[in-house]
């Protein structure tokens, strides 16, 4: 087994995400994992790290108090070893979880230490997504209540789709959750719908662009796919291309991940990476990547 140096996350690095699996038990038609033709199912069946490898990968991190390790996917709780990881990683690592909450809530409560998902933050550490037509809001509300009663901080999130029928439904659910003491937040719809592009983007033509270009790109995030590869951005992750390093490389440094690198996929950027958004401190105006020197292929 190779010796791993500690990876100290820099002050300008805002997000550390381990995508335990791309597999999911829902089939949302707009799934971000298949954005721009990426292969969700192809990725789901590719190489995967073992629970022991994920634990080593998490144990080598040195995170700031305000920066958790986010477990996501796909549906991360489908990963066989999810409970082992959340229980056995060193205690100083706090985690966030992005989930569709399809897991068995009693099993979750019995196997997940509450402290792992407990820290001071302006949003819940466990963020469940509500996908109308895919998961049932009554079940989500019941599970959220049960988790709250067990001491977990849980929020439900839903994308405010431009269709007035869907957004009207979501806003009604939000009002109902407020009455029930449940933190229900909406997220901006990003991408194309009915011929229009939604979202505020820092770089013209980077997401949903008509022409592919070259550029240099630097990320503020550490994005690790199911096989342990580290990617520059979500577009590379979902497209399964151009990893920059591996999370179990012995001498990996955070600085090496956050440097400008050549990219030939400007135009195919994932909206999440180039939109202007709120950072972890809830301050608006942040973009996950910095792009320069855009030019024709
Ligand atoms: S729950 Fe998330 S990962 Fe699963 S299909 Fe829906 S959008 Fe995709
Ligand atoms: S330019 Fe776009 S596709 Fe290329 S690395 Fe940056 S965010 Fe990813």
């Amino acid at each position: 087994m190779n010796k791993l140096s500690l990876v100290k996350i820099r002050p300008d690095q805002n997000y550390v995400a381990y995508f335990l699996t791309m597999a999911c038990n829902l089939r949302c038609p707009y799934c971000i994992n298949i954005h721009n033709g990426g292969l969700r199912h192809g990725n789901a069946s590719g190489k995967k790290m073992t629970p022991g490898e994920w634990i080593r990968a998490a144990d080598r991190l040195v995170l700031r108090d305000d920066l958790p390790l986010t477990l996501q996917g796909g549906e991360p709780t489908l990963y066989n070893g999810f409970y082992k990881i959340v229980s056995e990683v060193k205690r100083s690592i706090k985690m966030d979880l992005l989930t569709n909450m399809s897991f068995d809530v009693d099993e979750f409560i019995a196997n997940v230490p509450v402290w792992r998902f407990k820290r001071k933050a302006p949003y819940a550490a466990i963020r469940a997504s509500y996908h109308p037509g895919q998961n049932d809001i009554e079940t989500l509300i019941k599970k959220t209540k049960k988790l709250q009663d067990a001491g977990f901080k849980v929020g439900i999130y839903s994308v405010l789709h431009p269709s007035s029928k869907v957004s009207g439904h979501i806003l009604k659910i939000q009002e109902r959750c407020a009455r029930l003491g449940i933190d229900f937040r909406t997220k901006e719809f990003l991408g194309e719908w009915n011929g229009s592009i939604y979202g505020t983007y820092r770089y013209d033509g980077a997401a949903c662009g008509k022409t592919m270009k070259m550029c240099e790109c630097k990320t503020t995030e550490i994005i690790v796919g199911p096989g342990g590869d580290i990617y520059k951005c979500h577009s590379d992750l979902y497209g399964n291309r151009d990893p920059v390093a591996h999370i179990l490389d012995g001498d990996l440094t955070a600085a090496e991940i956050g440097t400008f690198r050549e990219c030939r996929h400007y135009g195919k950027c994932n909206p999440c990476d180039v939109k202007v958004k709120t950072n972890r401190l809830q301050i608006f105006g942040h973009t996950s990547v910095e792009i320069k020197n855009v030019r024709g292929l």
Side-chain angles (χ1 to χ4, degrees), residues 24 26-28 30-33 40 73-75 100 129 131:
C24 186
L26 301 188
R27 292 289 175 266
C28 306
Y30 47 80
C31 181
I32 201 169
N33 290 353
R40 178 180 61 200
E75 172 48 41
N100 63 29
S129 47
H131 303 278

Side-chain angles (χ1 to χ4, degrees), residues 271-291:
C272 297
D273 293 315
V274 287
K275 75 165 182 174
V276 183
K277 61 182 171 187
T278 304
N279 69 5
R280 68 181 194 284
L281 304 171
Q282 301 292 286
I283 298 167
F284 188 73
H286 169 75
T287 304
S288 299
V289 301
E290 189 183 336
I291 296 175

Side-chain angles (χ1 to χ4, degrees), residues 206 215 217-218 232-236 241 263-270 273-274 289 291:
C215 68
C217 187
K218 181 173 97 163
K232 295 194 289 302
C233 65
H234 290 82
S235 178
D236 282 1
R241 63 171 185 249
C263 174
R264 301 173 65 84
H265 298 97
Y266 183 100
K268 240 189 177 183
C269 305
N270 190 293
D273 293 315
V274 287
V289 301
I291 296 175

Side-chain angles (χ1 to χ4, degrees), residues 122-168:
Y123 51 85
I126 298 178
R127 300 192 284 288
S129 47
Y130 169 44
H131 303 278
Q134 290 288 319
N135 52 0
D136 172 44
I137 190 65
E138 302 308 324
T139 311
L140 283 182
I141 288 173
K142 262 191 221 142
K143 287 183 168 182
T144 299
K145 281 280 186 200
K146 209 165 187 181
L147 286 165
Q148 282 179 339
D149 290 346
F152 292 100
K153 202 172 167 203
V154 186
I156 305 179
Y157 285 69
S158 198
V159 172
L160 212 46
H161 192 275
S163 136
S164 56
K165 195 172 162 218
V166 180
S167 59

Side-chain angles (χ1 to χ4, degrees), residues 44-64:
S45 57
K47 62 175 175 169
K48 290 186 185 65
M49 293 221 291
T50 63
E53 286 173 325
W54 282 118
I55 292 168
R56 289 186 81 213
D59 281 348
R60 77 180 309 190
L61 297 174
V62 181
L63 300 175
R64 303 185 300 272

